[in-house]
Amino acid sequence: MYNIKQQTKNAIVVVALALGLFSCGKTEEKDAKYYESIKVEGQQVAELTAPPFVPKPVGDRAAKKLIVNMEIKEQEGEMVDGVKYTYWTFGGSVPGSFIRTRVGDEVEFHLKNHPDNKMPHNIDLHAVTGPGGGATSSLVAPGHEKVFNFKTLLPGLYVYHCATAPVGMHIANGMYGLILVEPEGGLPPVDKEYYIMQGDFYTKGAYGEQGHQAFDMDKAIKETPDYVVFNGKVGALTGEKALTAKKGETVRIFMGNGGPNLVSSFHAIGEIFDKVHIEGGELINKNVQTTLIPAGGAVIVELKVEVPGTFILVDHSIFRAFNKGALGMLKVEGEDNKKVYSGTIQEGIYLPEGGTVQNMPKVAGKEKPTVAKTVAQQVNSGRELYGRTCFACHQQEGQGVPNAFPPLAKSDYLNANPDRAIGAVLRGLSGEVTVNGKKFNNVMTSQNLTDEEVADVLTYVYNSWGNNKTVVTPARVKAIRATPAPKAKESH
Ligand SMILES: [Cu+2]
């Protein structure tokens, strides 16, 4: 006889079985305890790399005793053209050397403080479970070495940094990097892997002020950085130093934020992150436009690059990107894919009624004493300025945009009259102009640049793309600035 009781009993058995299976799965979930029990086989010296590169993937190697030799170096570097800064570094780069481990590795960490250094330092690795993340065992004076051991207990991407007082100052000087703990069997293979870290820097002088710049504690406490950069300096990942990939490849970026103060809204202009390991942990989010990276945190992002072009990586707190340096580039080579992106189909001019030449706000006291530069130095800083100011309209190779922005490459208008070109940059330009036989009738806003900046950017333009190699001096710019604008009425 089949009765209700029996039916209920069966149901209970089924539910119990299901629960049993479920909890079985649960007990198999790997935790720190499980990873702690992994036995290591053999030892090896860890490969360390400077950004934007990372060591070879761990693949399916067994857990090992991994020896990390990290040397601290205090050294001068360049924040942006003509601006020197004394960086404190793990391994000679900002961010510091990338450390790649797998879960269960026993790391033997050798922290060496170079004898030429002036400061004691230590290291706090967020991948370490232990007091101070290693900091309490690793305080090391110049000319000394400290050794300590730890086992990597949980997979993820972790920040490491110096934690010697004043902690903020050590971090602000560049003392941070990333340590990756790969899961068993490694992360899935991809075509390209890169390493970036954002950092905020505080200098006595304002952005671009020439010469050696000291650290500014007041600005650091107020959290008003002069520079917000990727990989320790302005332009570390632009132009020839851009990251590269081929169309169709999958790119993985290990992206950290050293801070010391700011949170990063990491975004790739014209791309969507297919996958983001949120906060560097196990949880994966998909189809992400902008991902938040806390100070002292990291993410792993993956993007498949479907169309060729230059994709701009930014902190989407956007003044940081275009005015403080938090801008990098990913250059993708390959054939166009019109299905994914058509390119411009039509280009017209849109000038709403009452459109006038706008001026960029003037910054009081921006003019600084000029230091005589060589032509090569002018070209160099001009290139950087071009990327920040002119590039958006006149385009990467000065080719311009038909019917909207005239070319600067082989421009007859430009080459015929440098004073007129200086005037255009200083005061803006509107009304009809003819460049290489083509008419343009549009508006160029005046660019709020110093005499030296105008001289540098125009010298760069004149010495690029087949132009006539004119050298524009700050003195010439100053002279043009002093003369009345051509259209201005004479008044005495
Ligand atoms: Cu330090």
Side-chain angles (χ1 to χ4, degrees), residues 88 120-122 162 164 170 175:
W88 297 350
H121 300 283
N122 63 10
C162 183
T164 307
H170 283 250
M175 297 199 80

Side-chain angles (χ1 to χ4, degrees), residues 469-482:
K469 300 200 185 302
T470 301
V471 174
V472 177
T473 61
R476 192 74 214 145
V477 178
K478 194 170 179 192
I480 303 292
R481 203 191 281 275

Side-chain angles (χ1 to χ4, degrees), residues 179-460:
I179 174 170
L180 173 66
V181 181
E182 291 202 56
E184 289 180 301
L187 289 167
V190 289
D191 301 300
K192 294 268 159 64
E193 291 186 322
Y194 290 112
Y195 170 26
I196 310 177
M197 271 185 102
Q198 181 169 322
D200 26 303
F201 286 87
Y202 305 81
T203 52
K204 283 276 184 268
Y207 181 102
E209 204 162 309
Q210 299 286 292
H212 187 277
Q213 293 295 330
F215 167 71
D216 189 315
M217 190 64 148
D218 287 338
K219 288 181 182 175
I221 292 168
K222 290 197 189 102
E223 306 190 12
T224 52
D226 301 283
Y227 298 88
V228 182
V229 296
F230 294 152
N231 289 357
K233 58 176 290 183
V234 179
L237 296 173
T238 60
E240 278 158 22
K241 290 184 224 129
L243 307 180
T244 58
K246 295 198 185 70
K247 189 185 124 182
E249 285 188 328
T250 298
V251 180
R252 176 181 285 144
I253 301 174
F254 298 103
M255 172 79 195
N257 184 5
N261 288 320
L262 302 186
V263 160
S264 174
S265 303
F266 188 51
H267 174 80
I269 299 178
E271 261 297 342
I272 297 163
F273 301 132
D274 298 296
K275 281 189 198 170
V276 175
H277 287 252
I278 296 171
E279 293 163 9
E282 204 170 280
L283 195 63
I284 292 177
N285 196 0
K286 291 187 175 168
N287 310 344
V288 176
Q289 55 188 312
T290 300
T291 186
L292 208 58
I293 317 172
V299 293
I300 306 173
V301 302
E302 284 175 27
L303 56 160
K304 187 162 189 245
V305 284
E306 278 98 358
V307 294
T310 300
F311 298 93
I312 314 281
L313 309 171
V314 295
D315 178 341
H316 214 298
S317 288
I318 211 74
F319 275 101
R320 299 178 190 167
F322 292 106
N323 299 73
K324 295 185 174 178
L327 185 150
M329 292 175 180
L330 170 64
K331 283 193 183 153
V332 179
E333 286 175 7
E335 300 281 294
D336 281 347
N337 184 346
K338 298 279 188 208
K339 217 167 155 186
V340 176
Y341 184 68
S342 72
T344 305
I345 297 172
Q346 223 183 351
E347 168 86 47
I349 294 172
Y350 172 64
L351 274 184
E353 246 179 277
T356 54
V357 178
Q358 286 188 19
N359 288 302
M360 300 284 282
K362 291 269 184 293
V363 181
K366 203 177 171 221
E367 204 71 36
K368 323 153 192 134
T370 54
V371 195
K373 282 187 186 153
T374 64
V375 174
Q377 284 170 331
Q378 278 196 286
V379 167
N380 257 327
S381 58
R383 179 180 300 116
E384 193 263 326
L385 268 164
Y386 186 87
R388 271 198 292 136
T389 49
C390 326
F391 163 88
C393 298
H394 293 289
Q395 306 294 297
Q396 182 128 17
E397 303 295 325
Q399 72 270 33
V401 172
N403 303 321
F405 305 117
L408 299 179
K410 294 202 187 89
S411 157
D412 56 1
Y413 185 97
L414 175 85
N415 288 312
N417 189 344
D419 286 357
R420 186 173 60 182
I422 294 169
V425 176
L426 284 177
R427 304 190 177 101
L429 191 63
S430 60
E432 190 174 282
V433 293
T434 306
V435 183
N436 299 344
K438 299 249 161 58
K439 285 193 180 8
F440 293 85
N441 193 349
N442 201 345
V443 178
M444 169 163 141
T445 54
S446 78
Q447 306 292 308
N448 179 34
L449 301 174
T450 65
D451 293 347
E452 192 179 1
E453 286 169 333
V454 173
D456 290 354
V457 77
L458 280 174
T459 300
Y460 166 67

Side-chain angles (χ1 to χ4, degrees), residues 30 33 41 85 138 149 168 199 211 222 240 281 324 404 443 468:
K30 291 170 178 165
K33 193 112 203 121
E41 296 168 26
Y85 192 79
S138 60
N149 289 293
K222 290 197 189 102
E240 278 158 22
K324 295 185 174 178
V443 178
N468 69 7

Side-chain angles (χ1 to χ4, degrees), residues 21-40:
L21 279 175
F22 189 67
S23 60
C24 242
K26 260 260 146 84
T27 54
E28 263 180 25
E29 189 176 290
K30 291 170 178 165
D31 57 8
K33 193 112 203 121
Y34 166 85
Y35 291 122
E36 191 191 324
S37 69
I38 294 178
K39 296 247 159 21
V40 298

